[in-house]
Amino acid sequence: MTEQKDSSAIVEETTPVVDTSTPEQKPRRKANNTGTGLAILAIAIALASGAGLAFYGKHLAQKQAATSEALTQQLADLRQQASSDKKSLEQQMTTATSELDTSRQQQAATSQQLDELKEKVATISGNDAQTWLLAQADYLVKLAGRKLWSDQDVTTAVALLKSADASLADMNDPSLIEARRALTNDISTLAALSQVDYDGTILKLNQLANGVDNLRLADNDSDDTPMDADGGELSSSLREWRQNLVKSWHNFMDDFITIRRRDTTAEPLLAPNQDVYLRENIRSRLLIAAQAVPRHQDEIYRQSIDTVSAWVRAWFDSRDPATKTFLSQLDELSQQNVSMDLPEALQSQPMLDKLMQTRVRSLLAQPGAGQQQQGE
């Protein structure tokens, strides 16, 4: 109805009207027309505002619906993530609990093993103290074998075997008679070996090396008489002028060439100042012999002594007292035997190994006393 009124009003405005009113009525009509226009404008503004508000409300509703849908999707995602995190956390808690139980079991097993070991040590140290003496005797016998075959020290090996026998004697165990008998046999075997004073032999060789400079070289020019010395005097008879001429010629030639006798023709004469090298070679041979003594190299020792003896007899004066003493000491050292005939094995070592196997290690393998009481 409002639209009809507006259309009629517009028609009325556009239709020319013949103004038949009086002058007093004209202002009143103009005021009515202005009020009608303002009403129409107000109505138009109201309609436009209503349409704008309706469009804005519709847009806002759509936006709110989209936001609500997005929030709903985010809430669903958060719920799904929370559910997944909860499952992962529950799985981690289960794994951690399982690992904690395993660690507790391992700790309990370790504590049990430690308690068993403590009980075994207490059993060995308290109830079977003789086992330590048996272990000590076994160690001493093995050390004796090491000293015997590595260092070839018979004296130390015998002392170690005697200490091992004393340890077995302290045990006062009749079942160890066989082991003690084997120890006694080993001690007797080593004591029967020829004991050579190796240190004294080395000292004698060093003394000889220091005394090489005191040896006097052989004087090969002691026989200064020429081979044709007889008949060298001239005759006073004129009839023997031929013989006198020959003798004069020989006497003249003797000043240039002299032939002397030499008994040992195997070795040549030394050149001047060559005796220094000879003495140094003798010292080196004596040093080689001294080094062969602790190594028990009998062949090298004898070859070096024989070589030095041959050189001294060939080049030095054997009638000199210092040379005679030097040669006599060399002959005495050449009779020395530096080798050693050691046994291949000790009889007591395998027997003590067997005793260690049957007593000590079997004792360690047994359960502790406290565990045995719990089993009972």
Side-chain angles (χ1 to χ4, degrees), residues 54-214:
F55 179 79
Y56 178 74
K58 184 179 180 181
H59 176 71
L60 185 60
Q62 292 178 354
K63 186 175 180 181
Q64 288 179 351
T67 304
S68 177
E69 185 178 358
L71 290 175
T72 303
Q73 183 66 30
Q74 289 180 1
L75 182 59
D77 294 340
L78 288 175
R79 288 177 179 176
Q80 185 177 2
Q81 183 67 29
S83 177
S84 177
D85 293 341
K86 182 179 179 181
K87 291 181 180 179
S88 176
L89 182 59
E90 290 177 353
Q91 186 177 1
Q92 291 179 359
M93 289 292 293
T94 304
T95 304
T97 304
S98 177
E99 292 179 352
L100 181 59
D101 294 338
T102 304
S103 300
R104 288 175 179 175
Q105 293 176 1
Q106 292 178 354
Q107 184 178 3
T110 304
S111 299
Q112 184 178 0
Q113 292 177 358
L114 182 60
D115 293 338
E116 292 177 357
L117 183 59
K118 289 180 179 178
E119 290 177 358
K120 290 178 181 179
V121 172
T123 301
I124 294 174
S125 59
N127 300 332
D128 197 5
Q130 293 183 350
T131 307
W132 294 106
L133 293 175
L134 180 60
Q136 182 180 4
D138 179 67
Y139 171 74
L140 291 174
V141 171
K142 290 180 180 178
L143 185 60
R146 199 172 295 124
K147 294 293 292 183
L148 183 62
W149 294 304
S150 298
D151 302 337
Q152 295 185 352
D153 190 353
V154 179
T155 305
T156 306
V158 170
L160 291 172
L161 292 177
K162 289 181 179 179
S163 298
D165 184 65
S167 298
L168 295 181
D170 292 338
M171 294 177 64
N172 196 16
D173 189 352
S175 62
L176 300 176
I177 295 298
E178 294 296 329
R180 295 193 62 190
R181 183 178 292 112
L183 277 172
T184 304
N185 293 334
D186 291 335
I187 294 172
S188 301
T189 302
L190 296 181
L193 295 176
S194 58
Q195 297 295 324
V196 180
D197 186 11
Y198 298 108
D199 294 335
T201 303
I202 295 174
L203 291 176
K204 289 180 181 179
L205 290 171
N206 292 332
Q207 183 181 1
L208 290 177
N210 295 330
V212 173
D213 293 332
N214 299 328

Side-chain angles (χ1 to χ4, degrees), residues 7-70:
S7 60
S8 61
I10 295 172
V11 171
E12 289 179 356
E13 289 180 358
T14 55
T15 304
V17 178
V18 178
D19 189 9
T20 58
S21 60
T22 60
E24 291 83 3
Q25 294 177 343
K26 287 183 180 180
R28 190 178 298 172
R29 290 181 178 176
K30 288 182 180 180
N32 292 332
N33 291 336
T34 303
T36 303
L38 291 174
I40 293 171
L41 180 61
I43 292 171
I45 291 172
L47 291 174
S49 298
L53 289 174
F55 179 79
Y56 178 74
K58 184 179 180 181
H59 176 71
L60 185 60
Q62 292 178 354
K63 186 175 180 181
Q64 288 179 351
T67 304
S68 177
E69 185 178 358

Side-chain angles (χ1 to χ4, degrees), residues 256-327:
F256 294 94
I257 300 174
T258 302
I259 300 175
R260 298 182 178 89
R261 294 182 178 85
R262 179 174 174 83
D263 296 334
T264 56
T265 58
E267 298 291 340
L269 294 174
L270 284 176
N273 299 327
Q274 292 298 312
D275 63 311
V276 177
Y277 301 104
L278 176 62
R279 298 178 194 274
E280 291 300 326
N281 288 331
I282 292 175
R283 286 194 184 92
S284 65
R285 287 291 180 174
L286 292 174
L287 177 61
I288 292 173
Q291 291 176 348
V293 172
R295 300 173 184 174
H296 306 287
Q297 298 173 344
D298 189 67
E299 184 177 357
I300 297 176
Y301 172 80
R302 292 184 182 277
Q303 288 179 357
S304 300
I305 294 296
D306 294 340
T307 303
V308 171
S309 179
W311 286 352
V312 171
R313 286 183 169 87
W315 298 106
F316 295 94
D317 189 4
S318 59
R319 295 173 296 179
D320 186 67
T323 307
K324 289 181 179 180
T325 305
F326 191 90
L327 290 174

